[in-house]
């Protein structure tokens, strides 16, 4: 598009053609957004190919892009944008993953799927019919104070968000720890039971007490 | 053996949801039986809420000892036949909603109500699938079978519920806007518990009660209100555009039978946040605002227009907003038209102009890409970020409009700070602030970066819709190269060699959790946590948005963007 800008401007027909191209590009982008799904709670081990293979059962996966977050805190999952062939497939994925836990590259933490929004794509084109205005405020303008307050509040919000994120990660780690403990307890229990059968203790006890056993391996 | 508890032998990775649908339905309807276990003796206890019977209806045909009633007062609230009520189910947080269709007292002085249930959409996700539902929609049970209705003691009622029927069935008196505003729930579809189908058609009777009783109560004014009365086309200018007007004329004798009609009105009404700052939250404004946006839908404001004759009866506030509203629509239309004309008249692609429309306002036009700057774009963005952070040329801008493109941000900086930078918007994730866009800027030198930060701190650069730009030094964390992910468990003792190829594959391939495994239980716990955390974020963002909105309203002269 910017190459066109370098050309000379001549004639309304050319101009309209240009405008059309801009609108079309944005429309194509919006279509892409509708067809895309945002998946998070992914393990760092999940590569693009794994995700593609996982979601292939829902339809035709066109592309998978992993999203980089620049505040990578430890324990935060990865996220990916998956572009499907049509919007229906995208919606199916979202509702299916919502209803039954779906694991990718590890368990039991399931992934989460959301519909993609425009802001998730950092290579988005400009919105065609928008002109941006900006202005510097004079310091004696009554709005100046309000604006400074707003700046401060924006910073505060960012800090609050950070805090909430940390707490969320703590909760997640807590749950993981609990589950890990209960899982190893269950495993030990089953191992014990298996051991009892394997080593013949059960059959011996049964003989002693004159009871029948039904030992199935 | 142990392994199978954790990962089922899955020949087929994807379970079919249809297999478990009877199970879902049973679970859904089994709760109805729980009410039967509600101790009926409680009716006799002294500390139960007050109860008194209202008008009698007649004695039972078969059993003369049964007395039917038309109304009763319970806990100070009067309930009539065919009212909708909340019924609390022990152990559930959300009450069920049902319509009283029979009220009687047995010979042992037990007070029973028979209710026909409304289903919440969340209970019917399997049959709804991808069909959209309104925010406060319910579905009426119909047909024959379990889950249609129950007979419960009166004491299970926890309150009255205002449910309005918005079906366009000709037997249904159409609700007024006022009714819609005060409605807690709406319904226009039925769910047949026998065939398990969702339909917009209402049968002639449900649970042996005539269907008219399920529709809205006929008010003493008139019969089902038909829209498109004569006075309805008085104010054509309050509709969105030419196409809307013509469709109005075509469908003149009012009742349009498009089935998309009800959802369009109410989707807007149930949204709590609106982007318009001109119209207040009265539903009429929202309704017509939606009409403007979606010109191909036949305007629901037909119904509104029908009321214009009654303006004198309604509140003064309503009348004022109606007037105000008829002003706000033409102006927004005019703005839109003007904008389109502007685009065709002016030459926004004239590169070197920086137009100053008011004293300080800079209109940001697209800049031409200088030939020399092409080398700037070559290396991959991630490397450049790292390098920029080391050299001190990285700046983080916040409080931008989140829908900006990276090139627009570059233009803004060029015009406002007269610096050429390379910018990229930060991608949003589930916990990003939806109102706030961030971007990383790479300046050409660290001094340029520092002066820019200083300038932006000291003075206020405002963007068109009243947002000051916040800048600070950009920092990025290194990507943590950990393989651990909380929630992905493995049992240390399990020796993978013993498991064999198939087992190993089963762990690493993606799959659904089968519902009778431990894995499934643990996964459900994670889902709960995930939903919880999304609620936390929603609450936080709502509060933050309210704070910003408050401050925004104090700004004296914001220059509104066309966006």
């Amino acid at each position: 598009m910017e190459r066109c800008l370098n050309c000379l401007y001549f004639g309304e027909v050319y101009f309209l053609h240009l405008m059309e191209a801009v609108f079309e590009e944005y429309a194509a982008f919006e279509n892409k957004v509708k067809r895309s799904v945002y998946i998070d709670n992914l393990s760092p081990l999940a590569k693009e190919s794994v995700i593609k293979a996982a979601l292939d059962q829902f339809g035709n996966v066109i592309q998978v892009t992993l999203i980089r977050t620049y505040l990578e805190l430890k324990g935060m999952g990865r996220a990916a944008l998956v572009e499907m062939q049509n919007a229906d497939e995208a919606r199916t994925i979202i509702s299916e993953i919502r209803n039954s836990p779906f694991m990718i590259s590890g368990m039991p933490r399931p992934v989460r799927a959301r519909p993609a929004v425009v802001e998730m794509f950092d290579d988005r084109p400009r919105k065609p019919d928008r002109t941006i205005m900006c202005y510097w405020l004079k310091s004696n303008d009554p709005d100046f104070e309000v604006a400074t307050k707003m700046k401060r509040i924006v910073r505060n919000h960012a800090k609050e968000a950070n805090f909430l994120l940390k707490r969320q990660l703590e909760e997640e780690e807590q749950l993981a720890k609990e589950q890990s403990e209960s899982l190893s307890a269950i495993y030990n229990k089953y191992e014990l039971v298996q051991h009892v059968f394997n080593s013949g203790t059960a059959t011996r006890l049964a003989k002693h007490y004159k009871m029948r056993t039904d030992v199935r391996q | 053996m142990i392994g199978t508890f954790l990962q089922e032998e899955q020949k087929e990775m994807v379970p079919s949801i249809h297999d478990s649908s009877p199970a879902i339905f049973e679970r859904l309807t089994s709760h109805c039986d729980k009410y039967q276990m509600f101790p009926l003796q409680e009716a006799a206890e002294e500390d139960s809420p007050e109860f008194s019977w209202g008008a009698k209806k007649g004695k039972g045909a078969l059993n003369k000892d049964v007395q039917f009633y038309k109304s009763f007062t319970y806990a100070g609230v009067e309930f009539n036949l065919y009212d909708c009520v909340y019924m609390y189910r022990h152990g559930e947080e959300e009450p069920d909603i049902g319509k009283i269709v029979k009220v009687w007292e047995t010979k042992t002085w037990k007070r029973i109500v028979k209710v026909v249930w409304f289903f919440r959409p969340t209970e019917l996700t399997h049959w709804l699938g991808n069909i959209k539902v309104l925010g406060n929609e319910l579905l009426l049970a119909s047909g024959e079978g379990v889950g249609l209705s129950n007979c419960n003691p009166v004491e299970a009622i926890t309150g009255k519920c205002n449910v309005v029927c918005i079906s366009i069935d000709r037997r249904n008196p159409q609700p007024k806007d006022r009714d819609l505003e005060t409605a807690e729930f709406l319904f226009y579809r039925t769910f047949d518990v026998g065939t398990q189908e969702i339909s917009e058609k209402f049968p002639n009777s449900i649970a042996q009660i005539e269907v008219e009783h399920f529709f809205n109560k006929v008010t003493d004014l008139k019969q089902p209100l038909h829209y498109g009365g004569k006075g309805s086309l008085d104010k054509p200018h309050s509709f969105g555009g030419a196409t809307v007007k013509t469709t109005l004329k075509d469908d003149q004798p009012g009742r349009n039978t498009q089935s998309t009609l009800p959802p369009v009105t109410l989707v807007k009404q149930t949204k709590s946040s609106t982007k318009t700052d001109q119209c207040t939250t009265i539903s009429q404004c929202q309704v017509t605002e939606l009409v403007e946006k979606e010109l191909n839908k036949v305007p629901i404001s037909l119904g509104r227009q029908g009321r214009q004759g009654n303006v004198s009866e309604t509140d003064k506030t309503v009348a004022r907003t109606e007037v105000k509203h008829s002003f706000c629509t033409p102006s927004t239309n005019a703005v839109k038209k003007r904008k389109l004309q502007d685009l065709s008249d002016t030459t926004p692609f004239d590169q070197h102009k920086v137009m100053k429309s008011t004293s300080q306002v800079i209109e940001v036009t697209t800049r031409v890409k200088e030939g020399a700057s092409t080398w700037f774009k070559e290396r991959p963005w991630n490397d450049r970020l790292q390098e920029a952070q080391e050299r001190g040329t990285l700046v983080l801008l916040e409080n931008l409009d989140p829908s900006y493109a990276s090139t627009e941000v570059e233009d803004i900086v060029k015009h406002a700070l007269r610096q050429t930078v390379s910018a990229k918007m930060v991608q949003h994730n589930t916990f990003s602030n939806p109102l706030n866009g961030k971007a990383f800027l790479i300046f050409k030198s660290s001094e340029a970066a520092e002066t820019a930060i200083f300038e932006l701190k000291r003075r206020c650069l405002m963007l068109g819709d009243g947002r000051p730009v916040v800048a600070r030094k950009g920092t990025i964390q290194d990507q943590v190269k950990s393989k651990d992910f909380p929630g992905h468990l493995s049992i240390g003792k399990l020796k993978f060699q013993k498991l064999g190829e198939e087992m190993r594959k089963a762990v690493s391939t993606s799959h659904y959790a089968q519902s009778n495994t431990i894995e499934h239980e643990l996964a459900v716990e994670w889902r709960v946590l995930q939903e919880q955390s999304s609620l936390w974020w929603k609450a936080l963002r709502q509060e933050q948005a309210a704070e910003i909105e408050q401050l925004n309203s104090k700004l004296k002269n914001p220059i509104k963007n066309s966006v």
Side-chain angles (χ1 to χ4, degrees):
Chain A
M1 187 186 107
E2 279 162 322
R3 247 177 295 128
C4 298
L5 295 182
N6 277 329
C7 306
L8 287 175
Y9 164 79
F10 49 82
E12 278 216 357
V13 173
Y14 177 78
F15 177 81
L16 282 174
H17 185 67
L18 201 65
M19 286 304 297
E20 261 177 39
V22 167
F23 275 99
E24 261 176 39
E25 190 190 347
Y26 198 74
F29 171 67
E30 284 188 318
N31 181 293
K32 176 165 138 183
V33 172
K34 283 205 191 98
R35 289 182 283 127
S36 302
V37 186
Y38 173 87
I39 310 236
D40 70 345
N41 275 254
L42 284 167
S43 134
L45 291 171
K47 306 260 181 315
E48 273 130 349
S49 51
V50 171
I51 303 175
K52 184 165 196 298
L55 296 176
D56 252 339
Q57 58 182 314
F58 294 107
N60 199 2
V61 176
I62 298 187
Q63 204 190 19
V64 176
T65 359
L66 287 176
I67 296 185
R68 292 233 24 212
T69 44
Y70 294 108
L71 16 91
E72 302 260 350
L73 295 177
K74 183 161 172 292
M76 230 165 73
R78 292 294 160 75
L81 275 175
V82 178
E83 186 187 339
M84 305 297 290
Q85 189 159 38
N86 57 47
D88 274 332
E89 288 173 2
R91 273 198 294 264
T92 320
I93 293 186
I94 293 168
S95 61
E96 291 281 318
I97 291 192
R98 209 183 131 84
N99 288 337
S100 356
F102 188 73
M103 330 283 167
I104 299 184
S105 290
M107 52 177 151
R109 183 164 172 180
V111 298
R112 189 163 58 162
R114 294 252 170 109
V117 291
V118 163
E119 295 88 8
M120 291 175 181
F121 295 82
D122 62 355
D123 53 353
R124 52 184 178 264
R126 315 168 77 111
K127 236 177 166 184
D129 53 352
R130 168 162 69 179
T131 42
I132 307 178
M133 316 283 243
C134 65
Y135 54 101
W136 288 103
L137 273 185
K138 287 204 165 72
S139 45
N140 52 10
D141 191 319
D143 283 344
F144 192 79
E145 267 200 52
V146 182
T148 1
K149 255 196 224 152
M150 280 184 84
K151 288 206 280 193
R152 214 178 328 127
I153 287 208
V154 165
R155 284 230 179 76
N156 279 348
H157 286 175
K159 287 200 196 114
E160 287 169 7
N162 234 357
F163 179 71
L164 182 59
L165 188 61
K166 285 213 183 85
R167 288 281 287 119
Q168 179 184 321
L169 290 175
E170 277 170 27
E171 290 279 322
E172 289 170 0
E173 279 193 29
Q174 177 77 359
L175 181 62
K177 209 163 73 146
E178 282 174 10
Q179 285 191 342
S180 159
E181 282 172 9
S182 71
L183 187 64
S184 44
I186 294 178
Y187 178 80
N188 286 336
K189 190 169 70 169
Y190 281 125
E191 219 186 16
L192 179 65
V193 169
Q194 195 178 29
H195 176 75
V196 163
F197 276 105
N198 276 348
S199 62
T201 321
T203 24
R204 281 205 300 276
L205 279 175
K207 274 213 191 96
H208 182 79
Y209 287 112
K210 304 205 175 43
M211 288 190 333
R212 267 190 330 121
T213 55
D214 218 1
V215 180
R216 258 190 303 237
Q217 216 43 15
Chain B
M1 186 188 98
I2 308 285
T4 53
F5 282 106
L6 300 175
Q7 320 119 210
E8 291 284 282
E9 284 276 3
Q10 294 160 7
K11 296 297 170 205
E12 219 188 288
M13 288 304 181
V14 181
S16 155
I17 297 234
H18 297 288
D19 291 343
S20 47
S21 84
I24 294 176
F25 197 61
E26 267 172 35
R27 194 173 36 79
L28 183 64
T29 51
S30 66
H31 72 258
C32 301
D33 302 329
K34 276 199 199 147
Y35 283 119
Q36 303 292 13
M37 304 193 300
F38 208 105
L40 292 177
Q41 297 89 322
E42 280 183 26
E45 281 167 17
E46 267 103 31
D47 52 346
S48 58
E50 289 182 0
F51 184 90
S52 64
W53 285 117
K56 287 193 183 166
K57 198 174 176 214
K59 284 210 186 279
L62 295 168
N63 187 353
K64 290 287 182 222
D65 296 321
V66 170
Q67 171 70 52
F68 288 99
Y69 290 92
K70 275 193 206 160
S71 68
F72 60 91
T73 313
Y74 179 59
V77 180
E78 190 191 333
F79 295 91
N80 293 307
L81 208 53
Y82 311 120
D83 273 350
C84 294
V85 290
Y86 285 112
M87 301 209 103
Y88 176 70
R89 194 186 341 161
H90 195 64
E92 292 282 321
E93 289 169 7
E94 298 256 354
D96 297 315
I97 301 166
K99 195 183 246 294
I100 301 179
V101 296
K102 268 195 191 142
V103 186
W104 73 90
E105 187 179 52
T106 66
K107 62 177 176 185
T108 49
W109 294 287
K110 296 202 185 100
R111 311 164 198 144
I112 312 281
V113 291
K114 180 173 176 185
V115 286
V116 170
W117 296 112
F118 284 100
F119 290 104
R120 290 185 192 263
T122 45
E123 296 171 315
L124 301 175
T125 43
H126 170 55
W127 295 277
L128 280 173
N130 275 338
I131 304 175
K132 286 201 163 52
V133 289
L134 311 173
N136 54 353
E137 185 183 341
L138 298 173
L139 284 94
L140 179 63
S142 66
E144 305 276 326
V146 180
L148 173 66
S149 65
N150 273 116
C151 302
N152 295 321
V154 156
E155 288 74 17
I157 297 177
T158 55
K160 244 187 185 177
C161 183
N162 189 352
V163 180
V164 172
C165 180
I166 51 173
S167 164
I168 49 174
D169 193 304
R170 56 179 175 71
R171 302 168 286 193
N172 179 30
Q174 293 300 301
K176 305 195 191 50
D177 289 331
R178 220 176 337 149
D179 299 333
L180 291 173
E181 273 170 57
T182 55
E184 293 172 65
F185 292 99
L186 318 150
F187 73 99
Y188 64 103
R189 295 191 274 201
T190 62
F191 179 75
D192 188 316
V193 297
T195 62
Q196 296 181 8
E197 273 170 11
I198 297 176
S199 137
E200 289 179 26
K201 292 199 174 48
F202 283 78
N204 283 332
S205 72
I206 297 178
Q208 289 103 39
I209 307 285
E210 281 166 17
V211 74
E212 279 80 4
H213 293 300
F214 290 90
F215 292 132
N216 298 325
K217 286 203 167 72
V218 175
T219 56
D220 38 354
L221 285 179
K222 39 188 139 276
Q223 289 310 311
L225 209 59
H226 286 270
Y227 294 138
K230 287 296 183 292
S232 58
L233 294 180
D234 281 344
K235 302 209 175 160
H237 67 265
S238 52
F239 294 107
T243 54
V244 167
K245 252 198 289 178
T246 51
T247 48
L248 245 192
K249 289 197 179 100
D250 290 342
D251 295 359
Q252 238 276 356
R255 179 67 64 105
N256 42 65
T257 50
Q258 284 180 23
S259 59
T260 56
L261 188 56
V264 169
T265 344
L266 299 152
V267 161
K268 194 64 182 178
Q269 282 187 331
T270 54
K271 278 203 195 130
S272 51
S273 64
T274 58
K275 290 223 171 107
T276 60
D277 29 30
Q278 291 155 329
C279 304
T280 63
T281 55
I282 302 279
S283 61
Q284 297 138 344
C285 292
Q286 291 173 335
V287 165
T288 319
E289 218 249 338
L290 191 66
V291 167
E292 281 177 66
K293 285 195 182 142
E294 301 176 14
L295 296 177
N296 51 353
K297 296 232 168 40
V298 179
I300 314 94
S301 38
L302 273 176
R304 289 209 317 95
Q305 298 300 349
R307 289 183 59 219
Q308 291 206 335
N310 306 342
V311 162
S312 53
E313 296 171 13
T314 57
D315 269 350
K316 259 198 276 184
T317 48
V318 172
R320 241 186 290 132
T321 49
E322 207 153 301
V323 166
K324 186 171 161 211
H325 171 66
S326 56
F327 284 143
C328 64
T329 32
S331 61
T332 48
N333 286 333
V335 164
K336 273 192 204 152
K337 284 210 195 103
R338 216 180 343 114
K339 255 298 139 194
L340 284 172
Q341 278 164 12
D342 277 349
L343 276 174
S344 54
D345 289 344
T346 65
T347 63
F349 298 108
D350 194 342
Q351 300 90 348
H352 301 289
K353 271 203 207 137
V354 172
M355 307 193 301
K356 293 199 194 275
S357 25
T358 68
S359 57
Q360 303 157 308
V361 175
I362 310 164
E363 181 172 317
V364 176
T365 56
T366 57
R367 64 183 172 88
V368 70
K369 211 163 124 184
E370 293 115 15
S373 66
T374 45
W375 65 267
F376 214 35
K377 305 277 186 224
E378 270 170 19
R379 285 177 301 147
W381 182 253
N382 294 332
D383 297 340
R384 295 169 62 204
L385 272 186
Q386 282 279 49
E387 202 197 314
Q389 181 177 316
E390 287 160 20
R391 293 201 303 177
T393 56
L394 187 65
V395 176
L396 176 68
L397 279 194
E398 288 176 295
N399 207 16
L400 302 167
D401 188 319
S403 56
Y404 281 171
S406 309
T407 44
E408 288 173 326
V409 175
E410 289 175 3
D411 293 336
I412 294 178
V413 175
K414 165 108 182 166
H415 285 114
L417 294 168
R418 312 223 185 281
Q419 297 265 9
T420 318
V421 294
S422 187
K424 207 153 204 218
M425 293 291 286
V426 173
Q427 287 168 303
H428 268 209
N429 45 32
T430 44
F431 38 83
S432 308
N433 197 338
L435 302 172
N436 194 334
K438 302 194 188 159
F440 277 112
L441 305 178
I442 299 187
F443 281 78
K444 285 197 172 134
S445 67
S446 62
E447 295 88 23
E450 282 187 25
T451 39
I453 298 180
F454 184 65
E455 276 292 297
L456 286 170
K457 271 204 184 130
R458 193 172 60 90
R459 304 163 61 194
C460 288
L461 176 64
M462 301 288 280
L463 294 175
D465 48 350
R467 316 162 146 257
V469 178
V470 178
R472 60 180 155 152
K473 211 126 177 76
T475 46
I476 52 170
Q477 315 268 30
D478 289 331
Q479 269 214 300
V480 177
K481 299 265 185 248
S482 76
K483 300 256 187 227
D484 289 333
F485 184 50
H488 280 188
L489 304 175
S490 61
I491 301 197
K493 291 191 199 169
L494 268 182
K495 307 267 185 327
F496 272 84
Q497 297 92 317
K498 284 192 187 164
L499 280 185
E501 189 63 26
E502 239 177 75
M503 291 296 192
R504 249 181 289 152
K505 256 206 270 179
V507 173
S508 55
T509 41
S510 325
H511 57 279
Y512 283 106
Q514 293 287 1
S515 51
N516 49 3
T517 55
I518 296 177
E519 183 195 0
H520 187 259
E521 282 179 32
L522 299 180
V524 167
E525 286 178 21
W526 275 108
R527 289 284 294 125
V528 168
L529 184 59
Q530 282 172 351
E531 293 296 316
Q532 269 184 336
S533 44
S534 55
L535 285 178
W536 300 332
W537 283 102
K538 199 163 123 186
L540 177 70
R541 293 304 177 197
Q542 268 179 356
E543 276 190 30
Q544 293 184 339
E547 275 186 5
I548 295 268
E549 189 52 43
Q550 215 188 13
L551 270 190
N552 222 353
S553 54
K554 291 201 192 138
L555 282 177
K556 298 263 179 6
N557 42 352
I559 299 183
K560 297 286 176 201
N561 251 343
S562 59
V563 168

